[in-house]
């Protein structure tokens, strides 16, 4: 429960971030047995209703795919799904269109990955778009080529802006885990780096860095394997929760640590549900704008 987060941001801890060479050495790759994935959950106005839209990028040794699901409350057993195989595609498949039926209404999904650029993550870092069109409006655009998406669909933007509720990511690595998430009001995503030292003569330790600055140092993880603190990122308070119990005590092989980053002042009424998205205790609170939450599963591999 994130509403119990306490503490204050630490001063800049005198530990320099690892070099690029060390990052490359320690950072897990998508060739690990565990599957790396990135999932973004949105609220968008589709087919006369506000619906949850889930966009998931998955990559393993044998698979690389993108799946988008549109919530369909009238038939929970049959979600409206569009899946694209990103590994086996031919050039003609990199740009496409698929129509779905959501509560009896047509919903079109447009995509263009012809120039998409990747940088270690299953999710492209630039030069692509996925657009959802409903009722002659573009309800949601995923990716950085929004202008191209509007030109191709020839539809106007929705009067109701889509809201990013949550981003969840599974990363594989040994001692270092690197990711990106937007933790403040800036235009760009923030660089997140988690480093651990679990073996050796000293007590196990862990560091969390944001944009190259170490904001949290956890010493003696045997006693502090679970906890939370509040730090400041570009004048924005960010709540950070961690649980790395399995890193220390899981002997089954691959194990993961859980990290949750929530920008904003702590809200006593807010909780995280099973999707990692914030919910609220009272009806009045439920009418407010949901707070964004970034959830990172750091899978430690040998």
């Amino acid at each position: 429960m994130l509403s119990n987060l306490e503490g204050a941001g630490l001063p800049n801890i005198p530990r320099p971030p690892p070099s690029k060479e060390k990052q490359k050495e320690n950072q897990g790759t998508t060739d690990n047995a565990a599957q790396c994935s990135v999932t973004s959950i949105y609220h968008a106005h589709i087919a006369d209703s506000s619906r949850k839209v889930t966009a998931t990028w998955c990559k393993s040794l044998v698979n690389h795919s993108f799946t988008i699901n549109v919530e369909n409350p009238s038939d929970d057993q049959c979600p409206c799904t569009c899946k694209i195989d990103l590994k086996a595609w031919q050039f003609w498949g990199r740009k496409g269109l698929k129509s779905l039926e959501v509560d009896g209404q047509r919903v079109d999904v447009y995509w263009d990955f012809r120039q998409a650029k990747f940088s270690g993550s299953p999710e492209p870092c630039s030069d692509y778009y996925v657009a959802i069109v409903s009722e002659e409006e573009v309800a949601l655009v995923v990716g950085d080529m929004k202008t191209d998406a509007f030109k191709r669909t020839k539809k106007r933007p929705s009067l109701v802006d889509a809201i990013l509720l949550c981003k969840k990511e599974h990363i594989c690595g040994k001692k270092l885990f690197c990711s990106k998430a937007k933790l403040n009001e800036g235009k760009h995503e923030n660089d997140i780096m988690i480093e651990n030292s679990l073996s050796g003569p000293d007590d196990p330790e862990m560091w969390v860095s944001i944009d190259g600055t170490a904001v949290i140092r956890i010493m003696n993880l045997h006693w502090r394997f679970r906890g939370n603190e509040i730090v400041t990122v570009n004048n924005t308070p960010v709540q950070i929760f961690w649980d790395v119990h399995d890193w220390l005590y899981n002997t089954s092989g691959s194990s993961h640590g859980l990290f949750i980053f929530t920008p904003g002042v702590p809200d006593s009424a807010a909780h995280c549900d099973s999707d990692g998205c914030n919910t609220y205790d009272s009806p009045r609170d439920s009418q407010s704008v949901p707070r964004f939450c970034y959830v990172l599963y750091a899978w430690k591999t040998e």
Side-chain angles (χ1 to χ4, degrees):
M1 181 181 296
L2 292 181
S3 58
N4 293 329
L5 289 172
E6 296 177 352
L10 298 179
N12 189 6
I13 300 166
R15 178 180 178 85
S19 64
K20 291 185 178 179
E21 289 75 14
K22 187 175 181 182
Q23 291 184 32
K24 183 176 181 181
E25 175 186 352
N26 291 327
Q27 175 67 40
T29 68
T30 52
D31 288 340
N32 286 295
Q35 177 170 266
C36 297
S37 67
V38 180
T39 298
S40 296
I41 303 173
Y42 303 85
H43 263 172
H45 191 78
I46 298 174
D48 296 325
S49 180
S50 178
R51 302 174 188 272
K52 184 182 294 184
V53 179
T54 305
T56 302
W57 310 84
C58 291
K59 189 173 184 180
S60 66
L61 183 63
V62 297
N63 178 60
H64 189 187
S65 64
F66 170 73
T67 304
I68 194 159
N69 286 310
V70 179
E71 184 180 28
N72 189 18
S74 64
D75 190 353
D76 293 336
Q77 302 303 316
C78 186
C80 302
T81 302
C82 174
K83 184 173 182 179
I84 305 168
D85 187 347
L86 301 181
K87 185 173 183 180
W89 64 13
Q90 301 297 322
F91 183 80
W92 54 265
R94 299 182 184 182
K95 181 180 179 181
L97 164 64
K98 182 176 181 179
S99 296
L100 309 174
E101 185 174 309
V102 181
D103 281 346
Q105 296 192 35
R106 173 174 168 170
V107 173
D108 293 326
V109 180
Y110 296 78
W111 68 86
D112 189 345
F113 298 118
R114 291 175 299 174
Q115 301 179 38
K117 294 180 175 60
F118 293 85
S119 180
S121 171
E123 181 182 23
C125 57
S126 65
D127 300 334
Y128 76 99
Y129 68 78
V130 180
I132 297 180
V133 175
S134 173
E135 303 173 281
E136 301 299 313
E137 293 183 344
V138 179
L140 172 65
V141 179
V142 178
D144 60 334
M145 296 174 57
K146 292 186 177 182
T147 301
D148 297 71
F150 289 125
K151 286 182 179 179
R152 182 180 173 202
T153 61
K154 299 179 180 179
K155 300 294 189 295
R156 64 180 181 275
S158 174
L159 297 177
V160 181
D161 291 335
I163 300 173
L164 176 60
L165 300 177
C166 176
K167 181 178 179 180
K168 298 190 294 182
E169 189 162 3
H170 291 255
I171 298 178
C172 304
K174 295 181 180 179
K175 295 183 178 181
L176 192 67
F177 303 88
C178 301
S179 65
K180 290 179 177 290
K182 191 173 181 180
L183 302 178
N184 54 51
E185 297 300 324
K187 294 182 179 180
H188 302 290
E189 291 186 314
N190 301 96
D191 292 314
I192 297 173
M193 184 184 303
I194 298 168
E195 183 184 5
N196 68 75
S197 177
L198 304 182
S199 59
D202 299 325
D203 288 332
E205 296 182 68
M206 178 180 71
W207 299 263
V208 178
S209 299
I210 298 177
D211 294 335
T213 299
V215 294
I216 294 179
R217 179 184 181 183
I218 307 299
M219 304 176 67
N220 197 353
L221 276 179
H222 284 306
W223 297 100
R224 299 188 64 196
F225 57 79
R226 185 179 296 119
N228 55 74
E229 289 196 16
I230 298 176
V231 302
T232 301
V233 179
N234 293 338
N235 299 319
T236 299
V238 177
Q239 308 169 61
I240 302 178
F241 166 85
W242 68 88
D243 184 345
V244 296
H245 175 276
D246 285 0
W247 278 2
L248 300 167
Y249 303 114
N250 187 340
T251 59
S252 63
S254 180
S255 58
H256 77 270
L258 171 64
F259 299 84
I260 301 176
F261 300 77
T262 305
V265 178
D267 189 333
S268 61
H271 306 274
C272 257
D273 64 15
S274 59
D275 285 328
C277 302
N278 285 301
T279 56
Y280 295 85
D281 284 335
S282 68
R284 184 177 65 180
D285 289 328
S286 66
Q287 301 303 315
S288 62
V289 177
R291 181 179 298 172
F292 171 73
C293 188
Y294 174 63
V295 182
L296 171 62
Y297 297 88
W299 289 88
K300 193 174 184 301
T301 57
E302 299 299 331

